[in-house]
Amino acid sequence: MTARMAARYDAIVVGGGHNGLVAAAYLARAGRKVLVLERRHVLGGAAVTEEVFPGFHISVCSYVVSLLRPEIIRDLDLPRHGLEILPLDGTFTPMPSGDHLWRMNDHARTRREIYRHSPTDAEAYDEYAKAMVEMARFVKPILSMVPPDPFSFDLPGFARLADLGQRFRRLTRGQQHSLLQLMTMSAADMLDQWFETDVLKATMSASGIIGTFLGVRSPGTAYVLLHHYMGEIDGAFRSWGFSRGGTGAISLAIAGAAREAGVEIRTESPVERIEVAGGRATGVVLKGGDEIRADVVVSSADPRVTFEKLCPPGTLDGDFLRGVRRFKFRGSSGKVNLALDALPDFTCLPGPGAHLRGAVSVSPGVEYMERAYDDAKYGDFSRRPYIDMVIPTLTDPSVAPPGKHILSCFVQYAPYKLREGTWDEKREAFGDAVIDTIAEYAPNLRKIILHRQVVTPLDLEREWSLSEGNIFQGELSLEQLFFLRPVPGWARYRTPLRSLYLCGSATHPGGGIMGASGRLAALEVLKDTGGGGRA
Ligand SMILES: Cc1cc2nc3c(=O)[nH]c(=O)nc-3n(C[C@H](O)[C@H](O)[C@H](O)COP(=O)(O)OP(=O)(O)OC[C@H]3O[C@@H](n4cnc5c(N)ncnc54)[C@H](O)[C@@H]3O)c2cc1C
């Protein structure tokens, strides 16, 4: 097909996920002419709200928010563009024994609840919370930092590393020790050092495995636990919350700010190829043949999509491509979204109540969690999975018809690679396993389901372009973080092709609705191209 030439832009952003939109907004605020091209019919990528069933506006993928960088909320004035975060109150864990554990945002009540299970743990909980806040304070500035490059002569990078070293030296011995443990231990082993209550350890360790193909006893998961803890001390919201209108409303608020700054945004515009000439990206070709030229191409798609599917063969050197191929995706999660006629009724705490307004976690014990991983290790979905549920309609009734509810179930493990059969064959069996598991605690569930949507890792790959269905565009394991994300030597949003940049969650600081990758990438683009303006 003959290519048709269109207008020329300073920058094209591939993908209208929240990071792509953040990058576009910052570039446009600095005076650049920017075009965002999103392949789906709707903006947001994995931070998206869709009317999956009539009247039910579902956060199909991500469902809660915490880490969105306060500087982005401020710079882009997101509340004026519709961003509103509503509190998510605590975590309720039903137990097979008929008891439960309910941690609330109210520290004193949580302490009393833990005391009911173990007076020793109630004491330890205060100490633990203090230690985690200190650790999070130490690590948190890294989220807003371009990683240094220890593999090259990078003076500003060395200065940042030295600063980090100084801050490490200023920690107490105990804090230094805790930090090293967090970086190396498994979530369950680390929590064993603090607590004795099994259900408490299991529920807390769950944040250590989200988005990884690791079990709660696998080394390295303690750090992921900290990654999720960081939002809890965030100056902006201080805890996890719902976005009014679903997580897609976050992306739409960012899109609003981007459009106001002059960004042009097109949906249903899949990029088929990134044009490369003389070692530079010069524009893109859309499916259908339209060619659009730009000085800079910023891709929010993951590295496998960007470098192996969109870049023409032969334009990247072998070493770099080997690094891209080594980057681990290994999707391990799925999602089951249910439209309900009424609220689930938990045997251990019957009736509607505040316990349903937060997260409801199926994580009754550490062994349960590890067995869920055992299924996945050998190529099957967990027969009794870890499930993190929320009922957003209790906090934001606008997302469903009056009196109806949404039960959003994040499920692990759902390994991308199955030993037998395909995900298309197993989708309904997976959905059944999730519903059977929840029904053990809330027996009325089956009767109140109006509709169900089962999202498998294969769906995440096919529909959201997330390679192997990894929810974070690549595992958040230690060997893939900071200056190693996504490829050692290429962690600073640049790529071996001049004027091609990455800005998605495959780059530092990684997954979650943070916007940090988009902002940091845009600032690096501006640095390279003589940036200025208001960014
Ligand atoms: C099931 C699930 C649950 C999650 N839960 C949470 C949660 O509760 N809280 C949280 O903070 N995080 C959660 N996450 C993670 C979080 O949603 C992601 O890390 C984040 O949304 C990624 O944003 P991004 O902009 O970097 O990338 P993406 O959202 O992946 O955006 C990339 C965009 O690029 C587009 N694209 C790809 N290829 C092309 C192409 N060739 N042409 C044009 N466009 C293209 C894609 O369609 C997509 O819109 C979850 C993710 C999933 C999948």
Side-chain angles (χ1 to χ4, degrees):
M1 184 176 298
T2 330
R4 291 180 295 278
M5 295 286 285
R8 189 188 172 86
Y9 293 84
D10 294 325
I12 289 173
V13 177
V14 181
H18 85 290
N19 270 317
L21 292 166
V22 165
Y26 275 86
L27 290 172
R29 282 162 49 86
R32 303 299 197 270
K33 187 175 175 199
V34 185
L35 172 66
V36 174
L37 297 166
E38 166 56 44
R39 51 172 283 282
R40 297 194 72 220
H41 61 287
V42 59
L43 290 174
V48 71
T49 307
E50 294 183 55
E51 188 175 3
V52 179
F53 311 110
F56 290 89
H57 299 269
I58 295 182
S59 296
V60 180
C61 297
S62 57
Y63 51 104
V64 284
V65 57
S66 162
L67 299 162
L68 187 59
R69 308 314 308 136
E71 58 269 26
I72 295 175
I73 298 172
R74 246 187 347 257
D75 290 349
L76 304 186
D77 203 359
L78 295 183
R80 189 165 59 76
H81 292 282
L83 177 75
E84 191 182 349
I85 305 295
L86 308 165
L88 169 90
D89 194 6
T91 303
F92 167 69
T93 312
M95 295 163 67
S97 63
D99 198 352
H100 64 267
L101 173 73
W102 183 13
R103 290 184 300 140
M104 292 144 264
N105 289 352
D106 178 330
H107 184 77
R109 287 181 67 193
T110 299
R111 203 173 182 287
R112 278 202 298 279
E113 167 72 351
I114 296 175
Y115 190 91
R116 200 169 65 71
H117 289 270
S118 155
T120 323
D121 283 359
E123 286 296 319
Y125 196 71
D126 284 345
E127 287 302 305
Y128 174 81
K130 232 172 75 206
M132 287 301 269
V133 166
E134 280 157 2
M135 293 306 99
R137 278 220 176 93
F138 176 80
V139 174
K140 209 168 171 190
I142 295 175
L143 296 185
S144 302
M145 180 194 282
V146 174
D149 181 2
F151 310 106
S152 74
F153 190 69
D154 161 31
L155 274 181
F158 288 150
R160 283 193 297 274
L161 268 185
D163 179 55
L164 211 60
Q166 288 295 341
R167 292 203 305 116
F168 183 78
R169 283 189 51 205
R170 284 198 293 271
L171 295 176
T172 64
R173 261 295 161 83
Q175 289 167 342
Q176 290 175 348
H177 188 216
S178 300
L179 193 64
L180 292 175
Q181 286 192 330
L182 273 171
M183 292 298 174
T184 50
M185 288 181 85
S186 79
D189 286 348
M190 206 263 297
L191 291 164
D192 272 344
Q193 297 188 343
W194 289 88
F195 305 111
E196 59 185 17
T197 308
D198 192 33
V199 65
L200 177 66
K201 288 188 279 189
T203 304
M204 291 172 86
S205 66
S207 1
I209 53 164
I210 286 177
T212 69
F213 196 75
L214 295 170
V216 292
R217 292 217 176 278
S218 312
T221 47
Y223 171 76
V224 186
L225 195 141
L226 181 66
H227 187 90
H228 286 87
Y229 206 89
M230 277 188 272
E232 297 188 23
I233 59 153
D234 200 299
F237 304 124
R238 293 181 49 243
S239 64
W240 287 87
F242 292 110
S243 150
R244 189 185 292 284
T247 55
I250 303 169
S251 305
L252 295 185
I254 301 168
R259 284 198 182 97
E260 189 178 83
V263 174
E264 182 184 335
I265 301 176
R266 296 189 206 162
T267 51
E268 296 181 279
S269 299
V271 170
E272 193 161 74
R273 195 171 71 242
I274 293 170
E275 288 283 76
V276 176
R280 303 179 62 90
T282 56
V284 300
V285 178
L286 297 182
K287 195 167 172 199
D290 281 355
E291 185 180 331
I292 311 175
R293 300 186 72 87
D295 293 340
V296 165
V297 176
V298 186
S299 173
S300 69
D302 72 37
R304 185 176 293 173
V305 171
T306 303
F307 300 117
E308 299 201 75
K309 300 201 174 132
L310 300 182
C311 287
T315 51
L316 289 156
D317 79 68
D319 265 1
F320 178 76
L321 278 178
R322 270 188 290 282
V324 170
R325 286 180 194 132
R326 270 197 295 266
F327 189 62
K328 283 187 290 183
F329 292 96
R330 306 196 303 178
S332 56
S333 328
K335 191 89 190 291
V336 175
N337 297 312
L338 301 174
L340 301 182
D341 204 18
L343 287 170
D345 196 17
F346 285 85
T347 316
C348 64
L349 198 58
H355 60 295
L356 301 182
R357 297 177 78 91
V360 180
S361 177
V362 177
S363 48
V366 171
E367 187 178 320
Y368 176 100
M369 301 291 282
E370 194 63 13
R371 283 192 189 283
Y373 179 47
D374 285 345
D375 288 335
K377 266 193 305 205
Y378 302 110
D380 205 352
F381 59 80
S382 310
R383 295 293 145 176
R384 284 293 172 269
Y386 157 63
I387 307 172
D388 188 43
M389 291 176 266
V390 291
I391 309 174
T393 35
L394 281 173
T395 309
D396 175 14
S398 73
V399 290
K404 311 291 182 210
H405 289 285
I406 293 169
L407 182 64
S408 166
C409 312
F410 176 82
V411 189
Q412 208 157 313
Y413 297 83
Y416 173 76
K417 288 192 181 122
L418 290 170
R419 191 185 51 215
E420 275 171 22
T422 66
W423 269 111
D424 286 330
E425 289 158 3
K426 300 240 170 153
R427 176 179 293 102
E428 298 314 321
F430 171 61
D432 290 343
V434 172
I435 288 165
D436 291 347
T437 304
I438 303 169
E440 284 174 8
Y441 303 92
N444 73 331
L445 182 68
R446 284 192 202 87
K447 285 203 298 263
I448 58 174
I449 296 174
L450 298 171
H451 312 280
R452 81 176 193 187
Q453 178 194 34
V454 180
V455 182
T456 70
L458 184 63
D459 298 326
L460 291 176
E461 182 175 72
R462 279 196 300 224
E463 188 57 38
W464 279 270
S465 301
L466 292 166
S467 296
E468 297 184 24
N470 187 285
I471 66 165
F472 294 141
Q473 291 196 353
E475 275 191 285
L476 286 187
S477 43
L478 277 177
E479 74 281 12
Q480 302 199 151
L481 290 177
F482 203 34
F483 54 77
L484 301 171
R485 190 170 183 87
V487 175
W490 297 100
R492 291 142 58 85
Y493 314 97
R494 295 168 185 81
T495 73
L497 295 173
R498 273 172 294 129
S499 66
L500 175 63
Y501 295 78
L502 282 187
C503 73
S505 51
T507 61
H508 173 78
I513 310 170
M514 275 195 269
S517 295
R519 174 176 169 273
L520 291 171
L523 298 183
E524 292 305 289
V525 171
L526 292 174
K527 230 185 254 172
D528 290 354
T529 56
R534 294 174 297 141

